[in-house]
Amino acid sequence: MDHINYFFNPKGIAVIGASRNPRKFGHIIFRNLLEKGAYPVNPNATEVLGKKCYASVKEIKNNIDLAVIAVPAKIVPEAVKDCREKGIKAVVVITSGFAESGHPEEEEKIKQLKGDLRLVGPNVIGIYDAHSGIDTVFNLRHRQQRPRKGGISFISQSGAFGSAVLDMAAYENMGFAKFVSLGNMLDVNETDMINYLASDENTKVITMYLEGSKDYRKLFSALRATTKKKPVVVVKAGKTEETKKAVASHTASMAGEAKIFSGMLKQAGALEAAGTEDMFDMAKAFSQPLPHNNRVHIVTDGGGLGIIAADAIVARNMRLAQLSSATLKEIKKHVPDYATLSNPLDLTGDADTERYRNVLPLVLEDKNVDTVLVILLMQISSLDSKIVDVLASMKKFKKPVFVCMTGGEYTSIHRRMLEERGIPTYEAPERAVVGIKALNEYAQLKKKN
C-alpha cells in the first residue's frame, strides 16, 4: 500500500548515521537491525560493529527499501535526497530540530527533496514490528523492553509516551503487532497509518495517542472505515486551553476542541480512552470473542472484590447475569454450603483450582451469561499455578473471559502467564470492567454495521 509496507517489511535496510559510539542513536539502531543485514552509512567510519561502512547510501550496490536517518538536522535534507536518488521506498527520520523547534523551513527543504518516497518523522523515536523484527527505536533494549508478538498496534504522536507504553506492554507481557512514532508528520500521518493497519493481518486492534490532526475530515473517514473491520482505541491529549499551546510546540499539530473530537470519535465508531491505563485495559480486551449481549457474571474467591466489580458493571450500564435454576443446581454439587450462589458467585476463601475447574464451565455454558469475570486471590494457599491452564482452557466456550488478580510479585507472575495464553488480566476489578465495557461497545457497533 503506497510503499508504507516497506517500513515494516523491507528487504534491504540502511542506517544513515550508524556510529561506532555505543551511546549514539545511530549505533543503537544499527545494532537493533544488525541481524537483518542492515548496511551502516557514515563517511567518517570504515566499519561499524564489524560491518563495512559506506560514505553514502548511493554507494551500496544492493537494493534498499528502508533507510533510517540519525544524523544532525542540517544534513538531513541531503541524506533524504540521496535516498530518493538511490530509489529507496521508505525513510524514518529520527532527528529532531525542525518544526517542533520553530524551524518549519527546514522541514520544507526535506519535503521538496524527498520525491515519491514515504517518510516517517522527523522527530521520532522509531518504528517497531514484533512480527517482522524491524526495530528502529533508539532506546536501549535493557532500558526499554520490546513487547512480544501479538495483535495490538500502537500509533503515537509522542515519542516519549510511545517509549513508555512499549516498555510497560513488554513488562505486562502484552502482545504487540506494530508501533509507529509519527513525530512531526511531514509526510506519513495518523490517517495513513490507520488506513494501512486496517488491512494488516497481524493487527487485531489499533491504539492511538493523538494530540491533534492536520486534516480531521480525512481522519474521520479513515476511522469510520477502519472500525467496521477492527476496533480503534484513542487517547486524546491537549484537551484544555493550556495544553493546546504545549501540543502546538510539541508535534506542530493542531489540537481539536475536546468535545467535538470526542463526538467525532463516537460517530466514527472509535473508542476513547481516558488515559494510558484505560487504553491498555481496553486494547487487551480484544483478544476475546465479542459478546452477544452485556450480561456479565462474576466468579470470585474474594467477596469484597466481587462486590466492587458488580458495582462497576452496573455503573457502566451493563447487566449482572442471572444463572438458570438448572445451572445453580449443578454448581451446588461442587461448592460448600457456605458459598454464595448469586452474582457475584463467591466460591469463598478456601476455593482451590479444582473448584474453579468444575464451576467455570457451568457458568460459561449458561445461556443467560455473555461474559465471565473471574476474580482470583493468588494469596490463598489452596490455589496453585494450574489455575492458569484451567482458565486458558475456558476459551473453548467461545465467550469472553476476563481475569482480575490483585496482589504483588507472585500474583504478577501469574498475570503475565495468563496474558501469554491470551487471557486479559487486570490488577483491579474496575480496570477489568473498563475492558469488558470496551468489548461490549464494539460488539454493539458491529451489530449496527
Side-chain angles (χ1 to χ4, degrees), residues 16 28 31 51 105 123 128 133 208 240 263 265 350 381 425:
I16 302 171
I28 297 165
R31 182 181 287 277
K51 297 289 183 180
E105 72 282 356
N123 183 32
Y128 172 70
M208 304 176 69
T240 65
L265 290 180
D350 60 359
S381 58
T425 67

Side-chain angles (χ1 to χ4, degrees), residues 291-298 313 317-322 343 366-373 399-400 436 440 444:
H292 293 295
N293 214 312
N294 66 356
R295 298 167 300 177
V296 184
H297 209 292
I298 302 161
I313 286 165
N317 299 315
M318 293 181 288
R319 289 182 287 165
L320 294 171
Q322 299 298 316
N343 191 359
D366 195 297
K367 292 180 181 179
N368 297 325
V369 175
D370 301 303
T371 298
V372 172
L373 170 58
K399 287 183 180 180
I436 294 169
N440 269 279
Q444 292 304 311

Side-chain angles (χ1 to χ4, degrees), residues 78-134:
E78 188 65 26
V80 171
K81 180 173 175 282
D82 287 348
C83 290
R84 185 198 74 208
E85 292 175 353
K86 171 67 179 169
I88 291 171
K89 312 292 196 306
V91 172
V92 178
V93 179
I94 300 292
T95 314
S96 58
F98 294 93
E100 85 288 350
S101 300
H103 299 291
E105 72 282 356
E106 295 300 315
E107 281 191 20
E108 194 57 38
K109 286 181 188 175
I110 298 172
K111 195 176 288 187
Q112 290 171 6
L113 291 168
K114 77 175 191 66
D116 292 333
L117 64 78
R118 299 311 309 264
L119 186 148
V120 166
N123 183 32
V124 301
I125 68 159
I127 283 173
Y128 172 70
D129 187 321
H131 294 268
S132 71
I134 292 299

Side-chain angles (χ1 to χ4, degrees), residues 112-257:
Q112 290 171 6
L113 291 168
K114 77 175 191 66
D116 292 333
L117 64 78
R118 299 311 309 264
L119 186 148
V120 166
N123 183 32
V124 301
I125 68 159
I127 283 173
Y128 172 70
D129 187 321
H131 294 268
S132 71
I134 292 299
D135 182 358
T136 76
V137 176
F138 62 67
N139 290 329
L140 292 162
R141 291 184 182 182
H142 72 273
R143 293 195 181 194
Q144 184 219 292
Q145 299 178 69
R146 296 345 185 225
R148 65 177 175 83
K149 292 179 185 177
I152 300 171
S153 282
F154 179 43
I155 304 167
S156 181
Q157 286 181 352
S158 164
F161 183 78
S163 165
V165 164
L166 282 180
D167 197 24
M168 199 185 302
Y171 179 75
E172 294 285 346
N173 209 12
M174 290 171 61
F176 262 49
K178 293 173 171 64
F179 163 74
V180 184
S181 168
L182 288 175
N184 294 5
M185 300 184 290
L186 179 149
D187 175 34
V188 175
N189 58 32
E190 77 287 345
T191 301
D192 296 319
M193 277 300 167
I194 292 167
N195 289 333
Y196 172 77
L197 294 173
S199 301
D200 177 47
E201 289 184 6
N202 291 327
T203 300
K204 307 306 177 189
V205 52
I206 300 170
T207 57
M208 304 176 69
Y209 167 88
L210 285 182
E211 293 177 349
S213 177
K214 293 172 182 175
D215 192 331
Y216 283 99
R217 289 183 184 275
K218 282 187 178 178
L219 174 59
F220 174 75
S221 297
L223 287 170
R224 188 166 59 177
T226 301
T227 55
K228 291 176 181 177
K229 300 178 184 178
K230 58 187 69 172
V232 180
V233 181
V234 180
V235 172
K236 172 68 172 71
K239 290 184 173 182
T240 65
E241 289 302 321
E242 290 82 359
T243 56
K244 284 178 188 177
K245 294 174 184 176
V247 165
S249 64
H250 186 203
T251 57
S253 65
M254 297 181 297
E257 182 65 40

